[in-house]
Amino acid sequence: MLTDRWTPLDAHVEQLRLIRSPARFRVVAAGRRSGKTERGKRHLVRCALAGITGVARPTFVAAAPTRDQAKRIFWADLKALSPREWVAGVSESELTIRYKVGSQLMVVGLDRPQRIEGVPLDGIVVDEIAEVKRESWEQSIRPALSTKGRPPGWAWFTGRPKGRGLFYDLYSLSGTRAGWESFTWTSATVVDPAEIEQARADLDPLTFAQEYEAQWVSFEGLAYYPWSPKDHLRKLAVDQTKPLIIALDFNVDPGTAVVMQEQYLDGETRTCVVGEVHIPRNSNTPAVCRRLVADYGKHPADVYLYGDPAGGARHTSQTEGTDWELARQVLAPAFGERLRWRVAKKPPYVRDRLNAVNSRLRSASGVVRLLVDPARAPNVVKDFEGVTLLKGGSGEIDKKGSEAKGLTHLTDAIGYYISEAHSIAARVSSFDE
């Protein structure tokens, strides 16, 4: 008897085609929260419960790019899907379920694929395949699926379209290879329409197309592609009644900071860049902070401080102390109790930070929520107009090329603030399926 975790699923035509496909290798590119990962979990448990006649200890694997990801995505659900009376044992340390029919189901992170090397695999589901290194498939998984004396092992690859790496190649070539088949569907086939519209309002157009419409988006060219001088440049004033938002990205050439406010303009709350610090050469954290105090030390409202969390582990000055310690030494006496620290515990992923800023620049529904005063922040404008993405990548900033032009630091600082205050990470988390 199955467990209560086996709740009914509404299967649409494409999902039924996936479930019924005889293909040995199945590549699934589908929108967020649309059921692809759940289908993989259930398929694994069904196979493990059935076992394989004549095969000693059939082995099935649930895999993701890292062990932490794999555990978070699979482990609790696989245990909940497994009827207790069919389970012979569970190893929490090895993330392995052993069944009374003789099979075992392992959860593995492909950052250390050695765990499955030398182990005959009878079936594997790899989730978030776009983030898996090619050598993990070619050198570890593929050989383990071909073991003499056992039926050929099968594999499912699931994820959202992303970049032009292993996932793209598997998906593109599946139609030309015997035993391979590809499947795709959008989030709208499963997710509530109101949630889709909310995502459209929250996300920038390219991210929405990738995450919810399962499109193979090409992230090349300008990092902040929604940027438009016509839409985003405006004369702004510092509102003395509202908090200042200061964002730091620690650097020496140039030393930078961005000053922002949330202002209600034209019926919409918008992130307004009302100032900057840009010291081109031989700067350091105290110098940047002294400039902030000189320009904004008399601001009567609260001052919220955001920035690169990694500044707590390094310094850009010859002075003793980390960057955040140095910043506190200068800013705390000047702003006193008005200073509010909002520094995250760890940096956001670069792609998440870019997505957050681009969504603020313009959502998929066309709403602009970020403005810059070009007179007050001319170098912020240069950053938005000049930071580029790594050619052939999956949305990474071309740090080497952009930094050579003195760019990235101001928009990075803005990103640290927006990714915290206007986070879309919960909506596009990699682990919500």
Side-chain angles (χ1 to χ4, degrees):
M1 183 176 179
L2 297 178
T3 69
D4 293 340
R5 176 62 178 73
W6 288 81
T7 55
L9 298 178
D10 293 328
H12 50 73
V13 173
E14 192 70 352
Q15 285 191 5
L16 290 175
R17 193 169 72 86
L18 166 67
I19 297 167
R20 297 167 180 171
S21 171
R24 180 184 177 191
F25 300 106
R26 308 178 204 181
V27 187
V28 183
R32 180 161 301 283
R33 300 182 65 185
S34 63
K36 57 186 179 297
T37 307
E38 177 67 14
R39 291 294 178 185
K41 294 172 184 175
R42 295 189 179 203
H43 187 66
L44 281 167
V45 173
R46 285 193 187 97
C47 290
L49 291 175
I52 301 175
T53 302
V55 173
R57 200 167 71 173
T59 299
F60 303 93
V61 168
T66 70
R67 188 179 191 273
D68 287 344
Q69 284 176 293
K71 182 177 181 180
R72 185 172 180 178
I73 293 169
F74 289 107
W75 185 233
D77 284 338
L78 294 179
K79 290 189 293 182
L81 288 165
S82 300
R84 197 171 291 179
E85 61 271 21
W86 286 74
V87 174
V90 174
S91 172
E92 293 288 340
S93 60
E94 294 295 321
L95 301 183
T96 299
I97 304 172
R98 292 182 294 106
Y99 297 90
K100 293 179 179 179
V101 296
S103 58
Q104 64 176 351
L105 178 50
M106 305 165 61
V107 174
V108 174
L110 294 176
D111 51 340
R112 297 185 65 185
Q114 299 89 343
R115 189 181 175 201
I116 58 175
E117 290 179 358
V119 177
L121 292 188
D122 298 291
I124 185 170
V125 171
V126 184
D127 198 29
E128 299 296 340
I129 180 63
E131 299 173 19
V132 172
K133 294 180 179 179
R134 187 179 298 274
E135 53 265 31
S136 295
W137 159 243
E138 295 177 344
Q139 299 175 17
S140 300
I141 299 172
R142 185 62 185 87
L145 294 170
S146 301
T147 303
K148 186 177 181 180
R150 302 172 82 100
W154 55 264
W156 285 23
F157 308 94
T158 63
R160 290 158 291 112
K162 184 178 180 181
R164 292 295 189 273
L166 172 63
F167 189 21
Y168 181 78
D169 291 345
L170 295 177
Y171 183 85
S172 300
L173 297 174
S174 61
T176 65
R177 296 174 174 176
W180 288 75
E181 192 169 4
S182 61
F183 309 83
T184 189
W185 60 83
T186 68
S187 299
T189 58
V190 177
V191 178
D192 184 89
E195 176 65 16
I196 296 296
E197 290 310 307
Q198 183 62 57
R200 194 189 305 274
D202 289 343
L203 305 179
D204 66 275
L206 288 185
T207 302
F208 179 80
Q210 174 181 276
E211 301 289 332
Y212 284 85
E213 296 185 330
Q215 295 182 21
W216 292 95
V217 174
S218 176
F219 288 99
E220 290 191 356
L222 292 178
Y224 302 102
Y225 72 93
W227 172 264
S228 165
K230 177 178 176 292
D231 295 328
H232 296 104
L233 297 184
R234 184 184 298 194
K235 184 177 180 180
L236 301 167
V238 176
D239 189 331
Q240 300 296 314
T241 67
K242 294 185 179 297
L244 283 182
I245 299 152
I246 294 175
L248 299 173
D249 181 55
F250 303 106
N251 195 50
V252 174
D253 295 323
T256 59
V258 180
V259 181
M260 295 168 278
Q261 287 188 311
E262 294 292 332
Q263 298 185 8
Y264 190 75
L265 300 171
D266 304 328
E268 190 77 41
T269 299
R270 305 179 195 271
T271 302
C272 297
V273 179
V274 295
E276 67 177 36
V277 172
H278 187 272
I279 304 175
R281 295 284 182 274
N282 301 317
S283 178
N284 56 37
T285 297
V288 170
C289 291
R290 286 193 293 268
R291 180 74 64 82
L292 287 168
V293 170
D295 292 346
Y296 302 98
K298 295 182 179 180
H299 186 74
D302 286 345
V303 176
Y304 290 88
L305 192 63
Y306 292 80
D308 183 1
R314 63 164 189 257
H315 61 81
T316 54
S317 167
Q318 298 304 313
T319 309
E320 291 293 327
T322 68
D323 282 308
W324 283 118
E325 290 168 348
L326 297 173
R328 187 183 291 275
Q329 291 172 15
V330 178
L331 298 177
F335 293 110
E337 294 183 355
R338 290 173 292 151
L339 187 63
R340 313 292 186 187
W341 290 75
R342 293 293 185 269
V343 183
K345 292 183 179 180
K346 61 180 182 179
Y349 292 114
V350 173
R351 185 68 250 169
D352 289 343
R353 178 158 49 85
L354 283 173
N355 289 347
V357 175
N358 282 334
S359 299
R360 205 77 184 148
L361 284 170
R362 180 178 287 104
S363 71
S365 58
V367 180
V368 171
R369 297 189 179 93
L370 195 155
L371 301 172
V372 180
D373 187 320
R376 293 175 174 270
N379 291 287
V380 169
V381 176
K382 292 178 182 178
D383 249 43
F384 275 124
E385 293 180 343
V387 176
T388 56
L389 296 176
L390 196 62
K391 189 174 182 180
S394 56
E396 303 91 345
I397 289 177
D398 179 7
K399 276 288 187 178
K400 185 175 181 180
S402 296
E403 286 186 342
K405 297 182 285 186
L407 304 175
T408 78
H409 301 292
L410 289 160
T411 45
D412 284 352
I414 293 171
Y416 291 125
Y417 163 64
I418 291 178
S419 62
E420 280 293 305
H422 302 287
S423 174
I424 61 172
R427 192 171 300 281
V428 296
S429 166
S430 297
F431 316 116
D432 60 359
E433 301 180 66

